[in-house]
């Protein structure tokens, strides 16, 4: 039997029982600028297939300057059912979709969007969910803790909001003081204890988070002075590539516990799949 199977494969025949990708496959796109750093396509596609969904996540490099045009074109692809969104598109995409969840409106950004039955598009933000799940998985309960978040962009807003929702006292710093103040005001008005910081000083905080893209490139500056870190802090990053950023290396050298940026992605995959599931076609060939 093995000889027959080998002969069939050598002749170019396809096993229809395990044909993937295939013409009925549903597509999820991962859009960013750049996308070379993303790690979600492989584990997301694997989980989709193991869940019986005939779907895959495909990275798409969409330059920021053409985002509205690109999204308009992507909506015309009939087997594209949704998008995972990374930097720098999370905030502008919240303005381009038709509907946003309450959480996304609070954050002011989205990182997932799906096509609804009426062809409208809905968005949600799950970065903070993944980040907090990563913390709790490692045994760090953010409730009642103090958190210093560097960055008030899409990821920073999501992380700060979710930390506040689960009961942490949050302070946010951004190189744009207006952006940090706007986030703090928005969350404070919603009843959450969030303030803006004038300087990137995390002294006295139990959790320190780099929620900026700093660290993706070898010549990036550090998000704050590592001399301000102390061993009782848990230091986390949202940057996934490199896996251990210079910031985390500096934190570890100062005997801080660290959380890798990949936790944001790995611990939100299930939430993303649930977000997309109702719009995807069941019946994918089983993964081997």
């Amino acid at each position: 039997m093995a000889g027959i199977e080998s002969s069939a494969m050598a002749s170019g025949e396809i096993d229809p029982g395990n044909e993937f990708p295939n013409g009925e496959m549903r597509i999820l796109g991962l859009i960013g600028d750049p996308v070379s750093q993303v790690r979600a396509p492989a584990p997301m596609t694997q989980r989709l297939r193991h869940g019986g969904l005939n779907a895959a996540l495909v990275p798409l490099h969409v330059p920021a300057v053409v985002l509205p045009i690109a999204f308009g074109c992507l909506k015309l692809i009939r087997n594209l059912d949704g998008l995972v969104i990374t930097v720098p598109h999370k905030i502008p995409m919240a303005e381009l979709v038709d509907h946003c969840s309450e959480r996304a409106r609070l954050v002011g950004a989205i990182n997932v969007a799906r096509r609804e039955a009426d062809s409208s598009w809905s968005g949600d933000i799950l970065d903070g969910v993944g980040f907090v799940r990563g913390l709790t998985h490692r045994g760090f309960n953010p409730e009642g803790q103090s958190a210093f978040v560097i960055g008030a962009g899409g990821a920073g807003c999501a992380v700060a909001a979710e930390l506040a929702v689960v009961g942490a006292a949050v302070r946010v710093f951004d190189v744009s003081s207006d952006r940090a103040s706007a986030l703090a005001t928005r969350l404070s008005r919603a009843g959450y204890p969030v303030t803006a910081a004038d300087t990137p000083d995390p002294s006295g905080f139990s959790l320190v988070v780099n929620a900026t893209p700093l660290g993706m490139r070898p010549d990036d500056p550090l998000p704050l002075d590592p001399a301000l870190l102390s061993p009782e802090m848990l230091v986390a990053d949202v940057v996934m590539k490199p896996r251990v950023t210079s910031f985390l290396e500096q934190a570890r050298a100062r005997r801080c516990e660290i959380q890798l940026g990949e936790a944001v992605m790995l611990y939100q995959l299930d939430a993303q799949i649930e977000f997309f599931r109702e719009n995807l076609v069941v019946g994918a060939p089983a993964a081997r």
Side-chain angles (χ1 to χ4, degrees):
M1 181 65 70
I4 294 174
E5 290 178 352
S6 299
S7 175
M9 293 297 291
S11 66
E13 294 181 19
I14 297 173
D15 175 7
N18 195 43
E19 184 181 340
F20 188 87
N22 56 75
E24 295 182 349
M25 184 182 78
R26 311 304 296 180
I27 297 172
L28 300 175
L30 193 162
I31 61 171
D33 183 17
V35 290
S36 58
Q37 81 283 2
V38 300
R39 299 182 57 197
M44 172 69 99
T45 299
Q46 185 179 45
R47 292 190 187 203
L48 288 166
R49 294 189 66 202
H50 277 295
L53 296 170
N54 188 7
L57 179 65
V58 179
L60 305 170
H61 188 167
V62 176
V65 293
V66 297
L67 177 63
I69 298 171
F71 182 50
C73 294
L74 288 170
K75 290 192 290 185
L76 299 176
I77 301 173
R78 300 313 301 168
N79 63 334
L80 187 137
D81 290 337
L83 296 169
V84 176
I85 302 145
T86 190
V87 291
H89 301 327
K90 295 178 183 182
I91 292 176
M93 276 295 296
E95 299 294 327
L96 295 176
V97 295
D98 302 295
H99 317 286
C100 283
S101 69
E102 288 294 332
R103 175 168 48 211
R105 282 193 287 272
L106 183 64
V107 172
I110 63 173
N111 81 318
V112 287
R114 70 185 180 201
R115 188 198 309 270
E116 303 291 359
D118 62 359
S119 295
S120 66
W121 281 73
S122 298
D124 200 353
I125 183 78
L126 301 175
D127 283 332
V129 173
F131 181 82
V132 169
R133 287 182 180 179
L135 291 178
T136 56
H137 181 78
R138 65 178 297 117
F140 183 94
N141 181 2
E143 183 179 2
Q145 302 281 2
S146 59
F148 190 86
V149 178
I150 310 112
C157 290
V159 168
E162 197 67 23
L163 285 170
V165 166
V166 298
V170 181
R171 182 167 293 176
V172 181
F173 171 80
D174 194 276
V175 291
S176 167
S177 58
D178 289 345
R179 189 158 64 176
S181 296
L183 172 61
T185 299
R186 189 162 65 247
L187 291 173
S188 295
R189 286 176 177 169
Y192 299 109
V194 179
T195 58
D198 296 325
T199 59
D201 185 354
S203 301
F205 287 81
S206 53
L207 173 65
V208 181
V209 187
N210 173 38
T212 78
L214 293 176
M216 289 174 57
R217 299 175 178 84
D219 58 347
D220 279 346
L222 295 174
L224 55 76
D225 182 356
L228 298 171
L229 301 176
S230 53
E232 65 274 11
M233 297 173 174
L234 171 60
V235 178
D237 212 321
V238 301
V239 172
M240 288 187 286
K241 186 177 181 180
R243 189 167 184 264
V244 181
T245 61
S246 296
F247 181 55
L248 292 182
E249 287 177 351
Q250 292 285 342
R252 192 157 55 184
R254 286 161 176 79
R255 295 180 289 115
C256 301
E257 289 191 49
I258 64 171
Q259 175 164 293
L260 303 181
E262 64 186 26
V264 177
M265 179 266 293
L266 292 173
Y267 288 100
Q268 70 171 295
L269 287 178
D270 289 340
Q272 288 184 354
I273 289 172
E274 288 307 310
F275 177 79
F276 292 123
R277 175 177 286 276
E278 64 188 69
N279 292 355
L280 296 173
V281 176
V282 177
R288 293 182 179 178

